[in-house]
Amino acid sequence: MKVLMFGWEFPPHISGGLGTACYGLLKGMAQYNHEIIFVVPKLWGDEDLLADFVSASDVQIDYREKKFKEIWEQLTYLEVSSFLVPYLGPEEFAKYSDASIHDRTDVAESIFANKFSFSGKYGIDLIMEVSRYALVAGQIAKNKEHDIIHAHDWLSFPAGIAAKKVSGKPLIVHVHATEFDRSGEHVNQKVYEIEKSGMEAADKIIAVSNLTKKIIVEKYGIPAEKVNVIHNAVLDVSITQNNARKNVPEKIVTFLGRITFQKGPEYFIEAANKVLQRDNNVRFVMAGSGDLLNRMIDRVAELRIATKFHFTGFLKGNDVDQMFAISDVYVMPSVSEPFGISPLEAVRHNTPVIISKQSGVSEVLNNALKIDFWDIDAMADSIFALLHYKGINQMFRHLGTEELKRLKWEHVAEKIFNLYHQTINN
């Protein structure tokens, strides 16, 4: 089987969980005898090439063909002054201008260059890049033989739709997060429309949790039978040996993720304040970046706990491993988390975790303390218990590590290949 897969980022150049999930999935798929063509906007040259990688920036487009003109006419082109970067990007842009459907006659010739150079990042021209990426996807689908198309998240949905239009092969869209997860009820209408069009065009949809499936069915009007829940996993399930050393005598409690509405950083800070009122021998770490960072720094100062609170900025690679290794407790208080791989990574480092009930990972990780994201008293009590009651701490360390052994990416890959076969046969 030959799979044409569209992503937006890949380690080590990532801004969040999507690239990590794609890496894990390709690692799992490598255990099977199938050919994966993985397309990203731009390759940096230091990726772990687990598949036949294609950089969209290197693809020549024969745009004057009728099919490519039709693809462009169906894409929404935005004159973007600023834009709320969704899902992964830490930057926040304010507003965007009105959209209009453009055909070949009213778009500048430069739009249709023979080759596009993608930044591969999340900038003010993100929607432009998404549209161009879709145009390139059509050319790739024409050039590369494949049996099925797999697109990850809304950034790649238009690419998947364009590829399907050119080749006629079935399309799987993989929903790692929705606009309702990122923005609550105040959704960006344009992103919502792109997500909905991708889900409607798909032959099958993969949701990373039952929580996500519920949103897809209720908010996007997609039939439940079209949505297949396949949970994420963790890379190396063995206990990681790490030489990282704490340079402080206190216990360390960590929040690691984008500092945005979705991740609930303000609840972590309020819970930290309650813990410090009971035990001053604790340090709290907020690792990440995002649009709420300055507000969180101000709140820590207002509570007068700055001497016990650290902001590290965005971490990746070995820095993430070291952070988990020196942490005594990891907390993920997400308001809405489609899945959440980071608690599994924490458990892999033998660190007990506290997760919100509003997360997809709570569906597969049983041996963790689970709280409502808004219940800061329960969060503070859970942190205090894991720090002070050795029996509870050791129990969650042991059971969590054992539980990871069944959460492998090769198991995820097997389920996805089975879905491919079912989709092709139907």
Side-chain angles (χ1 to χ4, degrees), residues 1 3 5 26 29 34-38 51-53 417 420:
M1 180 186 296
V3 182
M5 187 176 292
L26 288 189
M29 286 181 160
H34 297 288
E35 181 180 339
I36 312 297
I37 304 161
F38 191 83
D52 177 10
F53 271 62
F417 281 129
Y420 289 164

Side-chain angles (χ1 to χ4, degrees), residues 22 46 54 58 68 71 85 143 145 147 227 248 392-393 396 413:
C22 288
D46 54 355
V54 175
D58 296 333
F68 293 103
I71 289 171
V85 176
N143 296 342
E145 183 181 343
D147 302 301
V227 187
V248 295
I392 295 175
N393 187 297
F396 279 110

Side-chain angles (χ1 to χ4, degrees), residues 1 411-425:
M1 180 186 296
H411 298 161
V412 176
E414 182 180 14
K415 292 176 183 177
I416 289 178
F417 281 129
N418 288 338
L419 180 62
Y420 289 164
H421 286 295
Q422 293 169 17
T423 306
I424 292 170
N425 291 336

Side-chain angles (χ1 to χ4, degrees), residues 14-176:
I14 62 173
S15 295
L18 179 58
T20 301
C22 288
Y23 179 73
L25 180 57
L26 288 189
K27 288 273 283 188
M29 286 181 160
Q31 309 299 315
Y32 301 86
N33 190 28
H34 297 288
E35 181 180 339
I36 312 297
I37 304 161
F38 191 83
V39 186
V40 287
K42 179 178 181 178
L43 288 175
W44 301 86
D46 54 355
E47 292 86 358
D48 185 0
L49 300 183
L50 301 168
D52 177 10
F53 271 62
V54 175
S55 171
S57 297
D58 296 333
V59 177
Q60 294 271 355
I61 306 172
D62 188 6
Y63 64 82
R64 297 185 189 278
E65 283 194 22
K66 182 180 179 181
K67 278 187 178 179
F68 293 103
K69 291 183 181 181
E70 291 174 352
I71 289 171
W72 184 256
E73 289 168 3
Q74 293 173 7
L75 293 174
T76 300
Y77 171 72
L78 297 181
E79 295 289 350
V80 185
S81 57
S82 55
F83 193 78
L84 176 61
V85 176
Y87 186 48
L88 296 175
E91 304 90 357
E92 185 180 13
F93 299 92
K95 295 180 180 179
Y96 59 94
S97 62
D98 292 337
S100 60
I101 301 300
H102 286 59
D103 60 24
R104 178 65 186 87
T105 60
D106 65 349
V107 181
E109 182 71 24
S110 63
I111 296 295
F112 290 98
N114 289 332
K115 187 186 290 186
F116 297 129
S117 179
F118 294 93
S119 70
K121 297 182 180 179
Y122 304 85
I124 58 175
D125 57 349
L126 180 64
I127 288 292
M128 168 68 82
E129 291 209 350
V130 168
S131 297
R132 287 176 169 176
Y133 190 39
L135 201 62
V136 174
Q139 187 71 52
I140 295 171
K142 178 186 175 185
N143 296 342
K144 295 281 187 178
E145 183 181 343
H146 58 282
D147 302 301
I148 197 164
I149 303 159
H150 187 153
H152 292 276
D153 255 9
W154 76 268
L155 296 156
S156 300
F157 286 179
I161 294 171
K164 180 178 180 179
K165 184 175 181 63
V166 170
S167 71
K169 299 298 184 180
L171 170 65
I172 305 286
V173 301
H174 203 140
V175 182
H176 297 264

Side-chain angles (χ1 to χ4, degrees), residues 18 20 25 56 117 159 185 190 245 258 264 269 310 374 396 423:
L18 179 58
T20 301
L25 180 57
S117 179
E185 293 300 320
K190 183 52 59 182
R245 295 176 60 184
R258 286 175 295 116
I269 289 174
H310 303 266
W374 45 262
F396 279 110
T423 306

Side-chain angles (χ1 to χ4, degrees), residues 172-237:
I172 305 286
V173 301
H174 203 140
V175 182
H176 297 264
T178 71
E179 182 61 7
F180 290 93
D181 298 305
R182 294 180 290 266
S183 305
E185 293 300 320
H186 304 289
V187 299
N188 182 306
Q189 190 62 29
K190 183 52 59 182
V191 175
Y192 170 81
E193 289 170 3
I194 294 174
E195 289 178 330
K196 193 171 191 297
S197 64
M199 295 175 193
E200 290 173 344
D203 295 272
K204 289 289 183 180
I205 298 169
I206 297 174
V208 294
S209 64
N210 289 298
L211 178 69
T212 301
K213 177 175 180 175
K214 187 172 185 287
I215 293 173
I216 291 170
V217 172
E218 294 181 357
K219 302 291 188 180
Y220 295 83
I222 304 298
E225 59 271 18
K226 189 176 180 177
V227 187
N228 301 263
V229 175
I230 302 179
H231 295 99
N232 287 332
V234 66
L235 277 172
D236 182 7
V237 300

